[in-house]
């Protein structure tokens, strides 16, 4: 039991560290976006030096669509890890099969799938823009792991279904007794 508590506390700390990092990344990208609209010459000094000014000059639609994908994905990643933190802090290891855990795991799978799907759509949009002469190489880091998120979402969803079945079996067992 002590080993489980140690591992679980370690996972809580890791989840918090990842969450804080993702919040910093999302906040930095939001600040970068705001500065790119009002003081584009200052963008080179900001977070990740994400300068899409040439794209902005050629097409505002392309600029806003790419930045929308980037911002939504980064915010969804932060929300995903917030849900993970809520799950690991409120789960009762003595009775893990409950509706709260089942709902959180399902929600985590939906967020993970949304991130993967939006990353894939962003990747395809960036490829389409690249065929039209836009330089989108700098954006590839934002959706490089789209397929991994989709696969992870499928695995998490399967776990959520198993938890739901476990709750049903536990409820049926309690009613039988």
């Amino acid at each position: 039991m002590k080993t489980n508590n140690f591992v679980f506390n370690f996972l809580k700390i890791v989840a918090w560290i990842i969450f804080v990092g993702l919040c910093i990344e999302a906040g930095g990208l939001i600040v970068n976006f705001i500065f790119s609209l009002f003081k584009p010459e200052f963008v080179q000094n900001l977070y990740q030096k994400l300068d899409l000014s040439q794209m902005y000059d050629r097409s505002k639609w392309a600029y806003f669509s790419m930045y929308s994908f980037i911002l939504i994905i980064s915010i969804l990643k932060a929300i995903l890890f917030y849900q993970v933190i809520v799950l690991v802090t409120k789960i009762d290891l003595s009775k893990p099969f409950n509706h709260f855990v089942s709902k959180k795991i399902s929600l985590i799978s939906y967020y993970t799938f949304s991130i993967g799907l939006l990353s894939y759509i962003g990747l395809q949009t960036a490829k389409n823009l690249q065929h039209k002469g836009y330089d989108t190489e700098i954006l590839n880091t934002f959706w490089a792991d789209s397929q991994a998120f989709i696969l992870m979402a499928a695995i998490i969803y399967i776990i959520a279904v198993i938890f739901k079945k476990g709750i049903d079996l536990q409820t049926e067992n309690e009613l039988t007794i």
Side-chain angles (χ1 to χ4, degrees):
M1 192 65 176
K2 286 183 181 181
T3 305
N4 286 344
N5 285 339
F6 175 75
V7 170
F8 219 66
N9 286 333
F10 178 73
L11 288 175
K12 287 179 191 177
I13 292 169
V14 169
W16 271 105
I17 291 169
I18 294 171
F19 172 67
V20 169
L22 290 172
C23 285
I24 291 170
E25 180 182 29
L29 289 170
I30 290 170
V31 168
N32 204 8
F33 174 69
I34 293 169
F35 268 94
S36 70
L37 292 176
F38 298 110
K39 294 217 180 227
E41 66 278 356
F42 197 68
V43 169
Q44 295 173 356
N45 302 327
L46 294 175
Y47 179 73
Q48 292 190 356
K49 299 177 182 172
L50 187 58
D51 186 13
L52 299 178
S53 57
Q54 291 176 350
M55 187 179 291
Y56 182 81
D57 293 338
R58 281 186 66 188
S59 170
K60 288 183 171 92
W61 178 89
Y63 173 81
F64 285 112
S65 66
M66 288 294 98
Y67 242 118
S68 295
F69 280 121
I70 291 167
L71 291 176
I72 291 170
I73 290 167
S74 65
I75 291 169
L76 280 176
K77 285 180 181 179
I79 292 170
L80 169 70
F81 270 88
Y82 175 74
Q83 295 299 327
V84 170
I85 288 170
V86 170
L87 175 64
V88 297
T89 56
K90 293 189 178 182
I91 191 170
D92 182 13
L93 289 178
S94 62
K95 289 186 175 182
F97 291 99
N98 58 49
H99 291 288
F100 172 77
V101 173
S102 177
K103 287 180 184 177
K104 282 297 175 190
I105 293 175
S106 294
L107 189 63
I108 288 169
S109 73
Y110 299 145
Y111 278 121
T112 307
F113 182 71
S114 298
I115 292 167
L117 187 63
L118 286 173
S119 296
Y120 186 76
I121 293 170
L123 172 67
Q124 295 306 317
T125 305
K127 282 182 181 179
N128 187 26
L129 289 173
Q130 197 170 28
H131 290 299
K132 294 180 180 180
Y134 290 92
D135 182 25
T136 60
E137 288 294 321
I138 194 170
L139 303 175
N140 288 341
T141 59
F142 293 104
W143 30 74
D145 51 0
S146 63
Q147 295 168 341
F149 271 98
I150 292 172
L151 180 62
M152 187 170 44
I155 293 168
I156 295 170
Y157 182 75
I158 291 169
I159 293 169
V161 169
I162 292 169
F163 260 80
K164 186 166 176 52
K165 183 66 174 172
I167 292 167
D168 293 342
L169 289 173
Q170 183 177 341
T171 305
E172 182 180 314
N173 189 23
E174 289 172 358
L175 290 175
T176 304
I177 294 173

